[in-house]
PDB file of all heavy atoms in Angstrom:
ATOM      1  N   GLN B  52      14.294  16.912 -14.535  1.00  0.00           N
ATOM      2  CA  GLN B  52      15.171  15.740 -14.662  1.00  0.00           C
ATOM      3  C   GLN B  52      15.330  15.284 -16.119  1.00  0.00           C
ATOM      4  O   GLN B  52      15.792  14.169 -16.373  1.00  0.00           O
ATOM      5  CB  GLN B  52      14.592  14.567 -13.849  1.00  0.00           C
ATOM      6  CG  GLN B  52      14.256  14.902 -12.411  1.00  0.00           C
ATOM      7  CD  GLN B  52      13.783  13.720 -11.569  1.00  0.00           C
ATOM      8  OE1 GLN B  52      13.415  13.907 -10.421  1.00  0.00           O
ATOM      9  NE2 GLN B  52      13.778  12.504 -12.110  1.00  0.00           N
ATOM     10  N   ARG B  74       8.350   7.468 -12.635  1.00  0.00           N
ATOM     11  CA  ARG B  74       8.589   8.851 -13.077  1.00  0.00           C
ATOM     12  C   ARG B  74       9.196   8.789 -14.481  1.00  0.00           C
ATOM     13  O   ARG B  74      10.272   9.304 -14.730  1.00  0.00           O
ATOM     14  CB  ARG B  74       9.547   9.541 -12.082  1.00  0.00           C
ATOM     15  CG  ARG B  74       9.409  11.058 -12.054  1.00  0.00           C
ATOM     16  CD  ARG B  74      10.281  11.694 -10.982  1.00  0.00           C
ATOM     17  NE  ARG B  74       9.901  11.296  -9.642  1.00  0.00           N
ATOM     18  CZ  ARG B  74       8.802  11.693  -8.999  1.00  0.00           C
ATOM     19  NH1 ARG B  74       7.986  12.532  -9.568  1.00  0.00           N
ATOM     20  NH2 ARG B  74       8.535  11.258  -7.787  1.00  0.00           N
ATOM     21  N   GLY B 152      15.076   5.004  -8.804  1.00  0.00           N
ATOM     22  CA  GLY B 152      15.372   6.202  -8.037  1.00  0.00           C
ATOM     23  C   GLY B 152      16.274   5.910  -6.859  1.00  0.00           C
ATOM     24  O   GLY B 152      16.595   4.756  -6.566  1.00  0.00           O
ATOM     25  N   ASP B 153      16.681   6.959  -6.178  1.00  0.00           N
ATOM     26  CA  ASP B 153      17.480   6.785  -4.968  1.00  0.00           C
ATOM     27  C   ASP B 153      16.718   5.931  -3.951  1.00  0.00           C
ATOM     28  O   ASP B 153      17.286   5.061  -3.297  1.00  0.00           O
ATOM     29  CB  ASP B 153      17.850   8.143  -4.357  1.00  0.00           C
ATOM     30  CG  ASP B 153      16.681   9.096  -4.294  1.00  0.00           C
ATOM     31  OD1 ASP B 153      16.181   9.502  -5.363  1.00  0.00           O
ATOM     32  OD2 ASP B 153      16.234   9.428  -3.178  1.00  0.00           O
ATOM     33  N   GLY B 154      15.430   6.165  -3.855  1.00  0.00           N
ATOM     34  CA  GLY B 154      14.624   5.405  -2.896  1.00  0.00           C
ATOM     35  C   GLY B 154      14.659   3.919  -3.169  1.00  0.00           C
ATOM     36  O   GLY B 154      14.728   3.095  -2.250  1.00  0.00           O
ATOM     37  N   GLU B 180      18.477   7.416 -10.855  1.00  0.00           N
ATOM     38  CA  GLU B 180      18.188   8.850 -10.933  1.00  0.00           C
ATOM     39  C   GLU B 180      18.072   9.353  -9.498  1.00  0.00           C
ATOM     40  O   GLU B 180      17.022   9.227  -8.872  1.00  0.00           O
ATOM     41  CB  GLU B 180      16.881   9.086 -11.675  1.00  0.00           C
ATOM     42  CG  GLU B 180      16.910   8.540 -13.087  1.00  0.00           C
ATOM     43  CD  GLU B 180      15.658   8.891 -13.874  1.00  0.00           C
ATOM     44  OE1 GLU B 180      15.575  10.001 -14.401  1.00  0.00           O
ATOM     45  OE2 GLU B 180      14.755   8.043 -13.962  1.00  0.00           O
ATOM     46  N   ASN B 181      19.165   9.861  -8.998  1.00  0.00           N
ATOM     47  CA  ASN B 181      19.150  10.355  -7.621  1.00  0.00           C
ATOM     48  C   ASN B 181      18.706  11.816  -7.625  1.00  0.00           C
ATOM     49  O   ASN B 181      19.505  12.725  -7.856  1.00  0.00           O
ATOM     50  CB  ASN B 181      20.535  10.192  -6.991  1.00  0.00           C
ATOM     51  CG  ASN B 181      20.538  10.657  -5.540  1.00  0.00           C
ATOM     52  OD1 ASN B 181      19.524  11.159  -5.030  1.00  0.00           O
ATOM     53  ND2 ASN B 181      21.659  10.489  -4.864  1.00  0.00           N
ATOM     54  N   ASN B 182      17.413  12.005  -7.338  1.00  0.00           N
ATOM     55  CA  ASN B 182      16.874  13.373  -7.310  1.00  0.00           C
ATOM     56  C   ASN B 182      16.817  13.890  -5.871  1.00  0.00           C
ATOM     57  O   ASN B 182      16.046  14.787  -5.550  1.00  0.00           O
ATOM     58  CB  ASN B 182      15.517  13.433  -8.015  1.00  0.00           C
ATOM     59  CG  ASN B 182      14.516  12.465  -7.399  1.00  0.00           C
ATOM     60  OD1 ASN B 182      14.773  11.872  -6.349  1.00  0.00           O
ATOM     61  ND2 ASN B 182      13.370  12.311  -8.040  1.00  0.00           N
ATOM     62  N   LEU B 183      17.612  13.282  -5.028  1.00  0.00           N
ATOM     63  CA  LEU B 183      17.836  13.713  -3.643  1.00  0.00           C
ATOM     64  C   LEU B 183      16.679  13.473  -2.683  1.00  0.00           C
ATOM     65  O   LEU B 183      16.807  13.698  -1.483  1.00  0.00           O
ATOM     66  CB  LEU B 183      18.272  15.188  -3.575  1.00  0.00           C
ATOM     67  CG  LEU B 183      19.412  15.584  -4.523  1.00  0.00           C
ATOM     68  CD1 LEU B 183      19.849  17.016  -4.240  1.00  0.00           C
ATOM     69  CD2 LEU B 183      20.596  14.645  -4.401  1.00  0.00           C
ATOM     70  N   TYR B 184      15.574  13.017  -3.190  1.00  0.00           N
ATOM     71  CA  TYR B 184      14.435  12.687  -2.318  1.00  0.00           C
ATOM     72  C   TYR B 184      13.737  11.427  -2.809  1.00  0.00           C
ATOM     73  O   TYR B 184      13.599  11.215  -4.010  1.00  0.00           O
ATOM     74  CB  TYR B 184      13.392  13.819  -2.300  1.00  0.00           C
ATOM     75  CG  TYR B 184      13.882  15.056  -1.582  1.00  0.00           C
ATOM     76  CD1 TYR B 184      14.591  16.029  -2.275  1.00  0.00           C
ATOM     77  CD2 TYR B 184      13.683  15.219  -0.217  1.00  0.00           C
ATOM     78  CE1 TYR B 184      15.079  17.156  -1.625  1.00  0.00           C
ATOM     79  CE2 TYR B 184      14.160  16.334   0.444  1.00  0.00           C
ATOM     80  CZ  TYR B 184      14.865  17.298  -0.261  1.00  0.00           C
ATOM     81  OH  TYR B 184      15.344  18.394   0.394  1.00  0.00           O
ATOM     82  N   ALA B 185      13.273  10.649  -1.860  1.00  0.00           N
ATOM     83  CA  ALA B 185      12.324   9.580  -2.153  1.00  0.00           C
ATOM     84  C   ALA B 185      11.054  10.033  -1.445  1.00  0.00           C
ATOM     85  O   ALA B 185      10.991  10.027  -0.221  1.00  0.00           O
ATOM     86  CB  ALA B 185      12.804   8.256  -1.590  1.00  0.00           C
ATOM     87  N   MET B 186      10.125  10.503  -2.206  1.00  0.00           N
ATOM     88  CA  MET B 186       8.943  11.154  -1.665  1.00  0.00           C
ATOM     89  C   MET B 186       9.388  12.250  -0.703  1.00  0.00           C
ATOM     90  O   MET B 186      10.009  13.206  -1.153  1.00  0.00           O
ATOM     91  CB  MET B 186       8.015  10.118  -1.019  1.00  0.00           C
ATOM     92  CG  MET B 186       6.570  10.529  -1.135  1.00  0.00           C
ATOM     93  SD  MET B 186       5.488   9.104  -1.019  1.00  0.00           S
ATOM     94  CE  MET B 186       4.199   9.824  -0.032  1.00  0.00           C
ATOM     95  N   ARG B 247      13.988  16.888  -8.559  1.00  0.00           N
ATOM     96  CA  ARG B 247      12.614  16.981  -9.057  1.00  0.00           C
ATOM     97  C   ARG B 247      12.035  18.310  -8.619  1.00  0.00           C
ATOM     98  O   ARG B 247      12.062  18.642  -7.434  1.00  0.00           O
ATOM     99  CB  ARG B 247      11.834  15.760  -8.576  1.00  0.00           C
ATOM    100  CG  ARG B 247      10.686  15.993  -7.643  1.00  0.00           C
ATOM    101  CD  ARG B 247       9.888  14.737  -7.350  1.00  0.00           C
ATOM    102  NE  ARG B 247      10.111  14.186  -6.007  1.00  0.00           N
ATOM    103  CZ  ARG B 247       9.788  14.799  -4.895  1.00  0.00           C
ATOM    104  NH1 ARG B 247       9.255  15.990  -4.917  1.00  0.00           N
ATOM    105  NH2 ARG B 247      10.012  14.230  -3.723  1.00  0.00           N
TER     106      ARG B 247
HETATM  107 MG1   MG C 402      14.217  10.034  -5.635  1.00  0.00          MG
END
Side-chain angles (χ1 to χ4, degrees):
Chain B
Q52 308 185 184
R74 205 175 296 288
D153 46 295
E180 301 186 82
N181 182 356
N182 57 9
L183 311 187
Y184 290 88
M186 211 157 140
R247 116 174 106 65

